[in-house]
Amino acid sequence: MDFVGNKPFPHLLIENFLDKQKAEKLLLALKKEKFEEKDSDLFQFRQTKDLHFSKDKEIREFVNMLESKEFSNRIKSITGINVKEGAFDLSGSLYIDTDYLLCHDDELEGRKIAYIYYLCEDFSEKDGGALALLEDENGKPGKVSRRYFPKWNSLMIFEVSKKSWHEVEEVIGKKKRYAIGGWLH
Amino acid sequence: MINSAYSNEVIEEVKQSFNSHDMKHVMLQSFFDEESYSKLINCINNCKRTGVKIADRYSYSLIEGDNLSKFFDDKLNFMIEKIVGKKIKEIKIDAREFGWKDYTLLHDSENKDKGLDIFLFICRENWDYFWGGNVVYKSKEGKSHIFTPVPNSLCIVSRRKEDMSFIQYLNHYVGDEKVIVLNLKLE
């Protein structure tokens, strides 16, 4: 695992993040949450409210896991970045046919690491929906350097900086791109 | 060149329509007569295109349309002057073509002063709003006004301070279709 050495900026995909049954139960719980349509010049997708306030047992368990010292220590050991225990944002997201998130860097005060936990079936080229990571060229986004198609039960983490240019490519077709994500502070 | 239906009486009605909105605007459909519009399309089809992209700002093809200004003569200037009530000196053409995956984004550094936007759509009939490619104006209060492409339509928008606009991302349903936005820049 080489978080720091991965290009174009530090990132890592951790596969089989949760126990398979736990992941399946979490997806069922996420599907019961209310998703609101979000759209602007930059994006079009659906999002839940802050999942910290979810009353669902499975989601509470997931939140508790992210809040645990064990998780923040694991993140620290992988990334070398000192994230605060229990300090994070999280919401569910759903991208369906034609949804997208155009290029941005995520930078906002306090955000150290962005995370996306995929709870959807595996995507491939024909389905779109890839997380594309772009090179930085003198402070501007350049070429796409890496593309990661959503993979069931995998966690993507990347360092947030002025150079962490990324986008979610348009979803094409019937697959639903469920995920839980946010930022570790 | 301009559709003869736009008589002085019609222009007076257009002016009233333009002035009747919070964000003053109007869309003049069938703007050129059919022959002129066909010639404009032929001319544009022969122009060179260059893809330009800065992913956090825009993605489109710039059309080298130096020879397009002949389609926009003094009559157009007079017409716009009558509608907006302002003197217009000179118009320069900025032509951009948008296809699948193209867009423009709002940007903090963008000019937020008030001003006049004039643009002509060139596209197929029955452009579907759902494809994207719509020109969206956002006010500082978050209200939006959307212009869905209609071929041979001239849009005139009086931007207020803090109003900003963008071209909505074009999704895969647009297929190989393109929309050209001819911006008439006032000097």
Side-chain angles (χ1 to χ4, degrees):
Chain A
M1 293 209 289
D2 188 12
F3 176 85
V4 176
N6 275 340
K7 302 289 180 194
F9 48 82
H11 71 272
L12 191 67
L13 186 72
I14 303 166
E15 296 189 18
N16 302 311
F17 180 63
L18 291 185
D19 169 80
K20 189 182 166 224
Q21 281 190 333
K22 264 196 189 310
E24 282 167 358
K25 283 182 182 172
L26 186 58
L27 173 59
L28 286 177
L30 184 62
K31 283 181 174 177
K32 286 181 194 158
E33 293 288 324
K34 190 180 173 193
F35 285 84
E36 283 182 11
E37 281 189 38
K38 300 275 176 187
D39 69 84
S40 76
D41 57 325
L42 190 67
F43 51 72
Q44 174 191 299
F45 65 102
R46 291 116 236 282
Q47 191 176 40
T48 66
K49 289 188 175 159
D50 187 341
L51 290 179
H52 275 105
F53 303 110
S54 173
K55 289 176 180 151
D56 183 274
K57 180 177 156 285
E58 300 299 332
I59 292 177
R60 290 291 333 150
E61 263 186 38
F62 185 71
V63 172
N64 291 341
M65 184 273 296
L66 294 184
E67 278 175 343
S68 68
K69 192 165 193 170
E70 189 189 347
F71 179 72
S72 54
N73 281 344
R74 189 176 169 195
I75 291 292
K76 277 181 217 172
S77 71
I78 292 169
T79 67
I81 295 169
N82 200 13
V83 293
K84 279 185 213 161
E85 185 186 326
F88 58 92
D89 308 289
L90 91 160
S91 60
S93 64
L94 166 62
Y95 289 72
I96 62 170
D97 191 23
T98 75
D99 286 352
Y100 58 89
L101 170 59
L102 298 173
C103 181
H104 63 291
D105 62 13
D106 263 5
E107 223 203 15
L108 201 68
E109 199 176 338
R111 291 177 178 176
K112 290 180 179 168
I113 291 173
Y115 69 94
I116 310 125
Y117 174 51
Y118 295 109
L119 280 167
C120 50
E121 58 184 306
D122 294 357
F123 276 52
S124 64
E125 190 76 42
K126 67 178 180 358
D127 308 309
L131 174 72
L133 310 181
L134 290 80
E135 290 171 1
D136 178 82
E137 290 176 2
N138 304 315
K140 291 178 183 172
K143 287 179 185 163
V144 171
S145 166
R146 293 290 303 268
R147 292 165 79 221
Y148 290 91
F149 287 98
K151 194 168 173 55
W152 163 252
N153 192 18
S154 64
L155 179 77
M156 166 61 79
I157 52 173
F158 64 82
E159 184 177 16
V160 175
S161 75
K162 283 181 178 165
K163 296 180 176 181
S164 54
W165 301 111
H166 63 284
E167 61 192 22
V168 177
E169 294 175 351
E170 180 189 344
V171 169
I172 297 167
K174 289 182 179 171
K175 283 189 181 175
K176 290 181 165 48
R177 187 186 189 278
Y178 281 101
I180 294 176
W183 297 273
L184 309 177
H185 294 252
Chain B
M1 301 268 278
I2 294 175
N3 190 336
S4 57
Y6 288 110
S7 61
N8 285 340
E9 292 76 26
V10 172
I11 292 300
E12 193 52 42
E13 288 171 19
V14 168
K15 182 181 176 178
Q16 285 177 18
S17 169
F18 174 77
N19 285 314
S20 67
H21 305 283
D22 271 353
M23 186 185 70
K24 294 177 182 177
H25 69 270
V26 71
M27 183 190 249
L28 307 179
Q29 299 198 14
S30 303
F31 181 70
F32 287 115
D33 60 54
E34 280 184 25
E35 190 188 345
S36 300
Y37 185 59
S38 294
K39 282 182 182 169
L40 175 62
I41 291 173
N42 283 337
C43 190
I44 282 197
N45 285 343
N46 292 322
C47 291
K48 191 183 166 195
R49 284 140 168 84
T50 310
V52 289
K53 181 170 185 173
I54 297 178
D56 68 331
R57 302 283 295 274
Y58 51 75
S59 170
Y60 55 84
S61 294
L62 205 53
I63 298 174
E64 288 181 21
D66 294 339
N67 54 349
L68 297 175
S69 51
K70 63 185 176 211
F71 290 91
F72 301 91
D73 55 16
D74 285 346
K75 281 184 186 167
L76 173 83
N77 289 17
F78 294 144
M79 182 193 252
I80 293 170
E81 283 175 4
K82 276 185 189 170
I83 295 168
V84 304
K86 281 180 189 166
K87 196 82 186 158
I88 287 162
K89 291 178 190 166
E90 195 189 338
I91 284 175
K92 284 195 174 172
I93 313 287
D94 168 283
R96 300 172 184 193
E97 184 175 66
F98 296 82
W100 184 26
K101 299 183 182 181
D102 284 337
Y103 58 87
T104 66
L105 295 177
L106 300 175
H107 203 271
D108 293 341
S109 65
E110 203 176 312
N111 181 9
K112 290 179 190 169
D113 286 342
K114 60 182 182 179
L116 201 61
D117 291 351
I118 307 169
F119 51 92
L120 181 89
F121 285 121
I122 297 173
C123 61
R124 59 162 279 178
E125 293 283 351
N126 302 316
W127 185 270
D128 193 331
Y129 166 86
F130 177 70
W131 297 345
N134 306 295
V135 179
V136 182
Y137 280 80
K138 285 264 183 197
S139 71
K140 65 177 175 184
E141 296 87 13
K143 287 184 181 172
S144 48
H145 186 84
I146 298 171
F147 293 89
T148 296
V150 176
N152 192 17
S153 290
L154 187 85
C155 302
I156 306 174
V157 184
S158 180
R159 250 185 307 104
R160 299 158 303 182
K161 198 171 165 56
E162 307 284 332
D163 283 345
M164 295 173 87
S165 68
F166 65 92
I167 310 263
Q168 200 176 30
Y169 176 85
L170 285 85
N171 64 46
H172 68 96
Y173 286 101
V174 80
D176 294 327
E177 296 291 342
K178 313 267 187 195
V179 57
I180 293 168
V181 181
L182 274 185
N183 289 297
L184 310 187
K185 296 198 160 183
L186 305 179
E187 296 291 311

